PDB file of all heavy atoms in Angstrom:
ATOM      1  N   ASP A 460     -15.392  59.250 -12.628  1.00 98.00           N
ATOM      2  CA  ASP A 460     -16.251  59.749 -13.697  1.00 98.00           C
ATOM      3  C   ASP A 460     -15.745  61.127 -14.129  1.00 98.00           C
ATOM      4  O   ASP A 460     -15.070  61.825 -13.385  1.00 98.00           O
ATOM      5  CB  ASP A 460     -17.696  59.853 -13.172  1.00 98.00           C
ATOM      6  CG  ASP A 460     -18.717  59.996 -14.292  1.00 98.00           C
ATOM      7  OD1 ASP A 460     -18.992  61.139 -14.732  1.00 98.00           O
ATOM      8  OD2 ASP A 460     -19.235  58.955 -14.736  1.00 98.00           O
ATOM      9  N   TYR A 465     -19.901  65.574  -9.662  1.00 96.00           N
ATOM     10  CA  TYR A 465     -20.183  64.393  -8.849  1.00 96.00           C
ATOM     11  C   TYR A 465     -19.378  64.480  -7.549  1.00 96.00           C
ATOM     12  O   TYR A 465     -18.194  64.811  -7.568  1.00 96.00           O
ATOM     13  CB  TYR A 465     -19.762  63.117  -9.592  1.00 96.00           C
ATOM     14  CG  TYR A 465     -20.750  62.573 -10.598  1.00 96.00           C
ATOM     15  CD1 TYR A 465     -21.920  63.256 -10.921  1.00 96.00           C
ATOM     16  CD2 TYR A 465     -20.496  61.355 -11.231  1.00 96.00           C
ATOM     17  CE1 TYR A 465     -22.814  62.725 -11.848  1.00 96.00           C
ATOM     18  CE2 TYR A 465     -21.379  60.825 -12.162  1.00 96.00           C
ATOM     19  CZ  TYR A 465     -22.535  61.516 -12.465  1.00 96.00           C
ATOM     20  OH  TYR A 465     -23.409  60.984 -13.378  1.00 96.00           O
ATOM     21  N   HIS A 483     -18.611  58.117 -18.616  1.00 98.00           N
ATOM     22  CA  HIS A 483     -19.708  57.416 -17.935  1.00 98.00           C
ATOM     23  C   HIS A 483     -20.237  56.201 -18.715  1.00 98.00           C
ATOM     24  O   HIS A 483     -20.353  55.095 -18.178  1.00 98.00           O
ATOM     25  CB  HIS A 483     -20.839  58.435 -17.701  1.00 98.00           C
ATOM     26  CG  HIS A 483     -21.935  57.954 -16.832  1.00 98.00           C
ATOM     27  ND1 HIS A 483     -22.002  58.228 -15.489  1.00 98.00           N
ATOM     28  CD2 HIS A 483     -23.034  57.210 -17.103  1.00 98.00           C
ATOM     29  CE1 HIS A 483     -23.084  57.691 -14.975  1.00 98.00           C
ATOM     30  NE2 HIS A 483     -23.737  57.062 -15.932  1.00 98.00           N
ATOM     31  N   HIS A 484     -20.561  56.401 -19.993  1.00 98.00           N
ATOM     32  CA  HIS A 484     -21.213  55.315 -20.737  1.00 98.00           C
ATOM     33  C   HIS A 484     -20.216  54.262 -21.205  1.00 98.00           C
ATOM     34  O   HIS A 484     -20.566  53.091 -21.348  1.00 98.00           O
ATOM     35  CB  HIS A 484     -22.042  55.902 -21.879  1.00 98.00           C
ATOM     36  CG  HIS A 484     -23.036  56.894 -21.345  1.00 98.00           C
ATOM     37  ND1 HIS A 484     -22.854  58.252 -21.430  1.00 98.00           N
ATOM     38  CD2 HIS A 484     -24.162  56.701 -20.617  1.00 98.00           C
ATOM     39  CE1 HIS A 484     -23.850  58.862 -20.808  1.00 98.00           C
ATOM     40  NE2 HIS A 484     -24.656  57.950 -20.305  1.00 98.00           N
ATOM     41  N   HIS A 487     -20.087  52.045 -18.246  1.00 98.00           N
ATOM     42  CA  HIS A 487     -21.219  51.110 -18.229  1.00 98.00           C
ATOM     43  C   HIS A 487     -20.939  49.900 -19.114  1.00 98.00           C
ATOM     44  O   HIS A 487     -21.151  48.751 -18.715  1.00 98.00           O
ATOM     45  CB  HIS A 487     -22.489  51.802 -18.753  1.00 98.00           C
ATOM     46  CG  HIS A 487     -23.294  52.498 -17.686  1.00 98.00           C
ATOM     47  ND1 HIS A 487     -23.817  51.839 -16.598  1.00 98.00           N
ATOM     48  CD2 HIS A 487     -23.691  53.792 -17.560  1.00 98.00           C
ATOM     49  CE1 HIS A 487     -24.495  52.708 -15.834  1.00 98.00           C
ATOM     50  NE2 HIS A 487     -24.427  53.894 -16.400  1.00 98.00           N
ATOM     51  N   CYS A 505     -25.419  51.828 -24.897  1.00 98.00           N
ATOM     52  CA  CYS A 505     -25.683  52.287 -23.546  1.00 98.00           C
ATOM     53  C   CYS A 505     -26.886  53.212 -23.530  1.00 98.00           C
ATOM     54  O   CYS A 505     -26.840  54.315 -24.060  1.00 98.00           O
ATOM     55  CB  CYS A 505     -24.456  52.998 -22.980  1.00 98.00           C
ATOM     56  SG  CYS A 505     -24.664  53.345 -21.233  1.00 98.00           S
ATOM     57  N   PHE A 506     -27.977  52.728 -22.965  1.00 98.00           N
ATOM     58  CA  PHE A 506     -29.184  53.539 -22.799  1.00 98.00           C
ATOM     59  C   PHE A 506     -29.325  53.873 -21.321  1.00 98.00           C
ATOM     60  O   PHE A 506     -29.497  52.987 -20.487  1.00 98.00           O
ATOM     61  CB  PHE A 506     -30.432  52.788 -23.280  1.00 98.00           C
ATOM     62  CG  PHE A 506     -30.499  52.598 -24.779  1.00 98.00           C
ATOM     63  CD1 PHE A 506     -31.434  51.728 -25.332  1.00 98.00           C
ATOM     64  CD2 PHE A 506     -29.651  53.294 -25.640  1.00 98.00           C
ATOM     65  CE1 PHE A 506     -31.513  51.549 -26.708  1.00 98.00           C
ATOM     66  CE2 PHE A 506     -29.719  53.130 -27.019  1.00 98.00           C
ATOM     67  CZ  PHE A 506     -30.660  52.246 -27.558  1.00 98.00           C
ATOM     68  N   ASP A 507     -29.274  55.173 -21.017  1.00 97.00           N
ATOM     69  CA  ASP A 507     -29.066  55.582 -19.642  1.00 97.00           C
ATOM     70  C   ASP A 507     -29.836  56.862 -19.350  1.00 97.00           C
ATOM     71  O   ASP A 507     -30.381  57.484 -20.263  1.00 97.00           O
ATOM     72  CB  ASP A 507     -27.556  55.820 -19.489  1.00 97.00           C
ATOM     73  CG  ASP A 507     -27.086  55.721 -18.061  1.00 97.00           C
ATOM     74  OD1 ASP A 507     -27.758  55.044 -17.274  1.00 97.00           O
ATOM     75  OD2 ASP A 507     -26.047  56.323 -17.747  1.00 97.00           O
ATOM     76  N   GLY A 508     -29.871  57.252 -18.101  1.00 96.00           N
ATOM     77  CA  GLY A 508     -30.505  58.510 -17.728  1.00 96.00           C
ATOM     78  C   GLY A 508     -29.618  59.700 -18.020  1.00 96.00           C
ATOM     79  O   GLY A 508     -29.907  60.509 -18.888  1.00 96.00           O
ATOM     80  N   THR A 509     -28.502  59.768 -17.293  1.00 94.00           N
ATOM     81  CA  THR A 509     -27.575  60.885 -17.476  1.00 94.00           C
ATOM     82  C   THR A 509     -26.146  60.417 -17.390  1.00 94.00           C
ATOM     83  O   THR A 509     -25.849  59.452 -16.692  1.00 94.00           O
ATOM     84  CB  THR A 509     -27.693  61.938 -16.349  1.00 94.00           C
ATOM     85  OG1 THR A 509     -28.517  61.405 -15.323  1.00 94.00           O
ATOM     86  CG2 THR A 509     -28.223  63.223 -16.836  1.00 94.00           C
ATOM     87  N   GLY A 510     -25.273  61.155 -18.052  1.00 97.00           N
ATOM     88  CA  GLY A 510     -23.850  60.897 -17.942  1.00 97.00           C
ATOM     89  C   GLY A 510     -23.141  62.013 -18.690  1.00 97.00           C
ATOM     90  O   GLY A 510     -23.645  62.514 -19.691  1.00 97.00           O
ATOM     91  N   GLY A 702     -26.545  50.184 -19.004  1.00 98.00           N
ATOM     92  CA  GLY A 702     -27.206  51.460 -18.723  1.00 98.00           C
ATOM     93  C   GLY A 702     -28.544  51.213 -18.040  1.00 98.00           C
ATOM     94  O   GLY A 702     -29.179  50.176 -18.243  1.00 98.00           O
ATOM     95  N   GLY A 703     -28.967  52.173 -17.244  1.00 98.00           N
ATOM     96  CA  GLY A 703     -30.152  52.025 -16.404  1.00 98.00           C
ATOM     97  C   GLY A 703     -31.426  51.712 -17.155  1.00 98.00           C
ATOM     98  O   GLY A 703     -32.328  51.054 -16.617  1.00 98.00           O
ATOM     99  N   SER A 733     -27.015  46.976 -14.228  1.00 98.00           N
ATOM    100  CA  SER A 733     -26.771  47.736 -15.457  1.00 98.00           C
ATOM    101  C   SER A 733     -26.976  49.226 -15.192  1.00 98.00           C
ATOM    102  O   SER A 733     -26.611  50.057 -16.001  1.00 98.00           O
ATOM    103  CB  SER A 733     -27.710  47.264 -16.573  1.00 98.00           C
ATOM    104  OG  SER A 733     -29.034  47.654 -16.294  1.00 98.00           O
ATOM    105  N   ASN A 734     -27.549  49.568 -14.031  1.00 98.00           N
ATOM    106  CA  ASN A 734     -27.679  50.984 -13.671  1.00 98.00           C
ATOM    107  C   ASN A 734     -26.355  51.477 -13.075  1.00 98.00           C
ATOM    108  O   ASN A 734     -25.352  50.766 -13.098  1.00 98.00           O
ATOM    109  CB  ASN A 734     -28.854  51.166 -12.703  1.00 98.00           C
ATOM    110  CG  ASN A 734     -28.658  50.369 -11.422  1.00 98.00           C
ATOM    111  OD1 ASN A 734     -27.565  50.323 -10.854  1.00 98.00           O
ATOM    112  ND2 ASN A 734     -29.707  49.717 -10.954  1.00 98.00           N
ATOM    113  N   ASP A 735     -26.362  52.682 -12.505  1.00 98.00           N
ATOM    114  CA  ASP A 735     -25.102  53.247 -12.015  1.00 98.00           C
ATOM    115  C   ASP A 735     -24.472  52.452 -10.873  1.00 98.00           C
ATOM    116  O   ASP A 735     -23.312  52.674 -10.529  1.00 98.00           O
ATOM    117  CB  ASP A 735     -25.295  54.719 -11.616  1.00 98.00           C
ATOM    118  CG  ASP A 735     -25.321  55.629 -12.851  1.00 98.00           C
ATOM    119  OD1 ASP A 735     -25.372  55.088 -13.977  1.00 98.00           O
ATOM    120  OD2 ASP A 735     -25.294  56.865 -12.688  1.00 98.00           O
ATOM    121  N   GLY A 736     -25.201  51.505 -10.314  1.00 98.00           N
ATOM    122  CA  GLY A 736     -24.633  50.616  -9.306  1.00 98.00           C
ATOM    123  C   GLY A 736     -23.521  49.730  -9.853  1.00 98.00           C
ATOM    124  O   GLY A 736     -22.739  49.170  -9.095  1.00 98.00           O
ATOM    125  N   LEU A 738     -21.411  50.931 -12.275  1.00 98.00           N
ATOM    126  CA  LEU A 738     -20.461  51.845 -12.922  1.00 98.00           C
ATOM    127  C   LEU A 738     -19.022  51.664 -12.427  1.00 98.00           C
ATOM    128  O   LEU A 738     -18.078  51.662 -13.222  1.00 98.00           O
ATOM    129  CB  LEU A 738     -20.922  53.277 -12.636  1.00 98.00           C
ATOM    130  CG  LEU A 738     -20.477  54.356 -13.602  1.00 98.00           C
ATOM    131  CD1 LEU A 738     -21.045  54.098 -14.986  1.00 98.00           C
ATOM    132  CD2 LEU A 738     -20.956  55.719 -13.092  1.00 98.00           C
TER     133      LEU A 738
HETATM  134 FE1  LIG B   3     -25.463  55.823 -15.847  1.00 73.93          FE
END
Side-chain angles (χ1 to χ4, degrees):
D460 196 273
Y465 277 6
H483 189 97
H484 304 102
H487 271 301
C505 189
F506 290 168
D507 203 25
T509 10
S733 70
N734 60 42
D735 282 10
L738 204 63

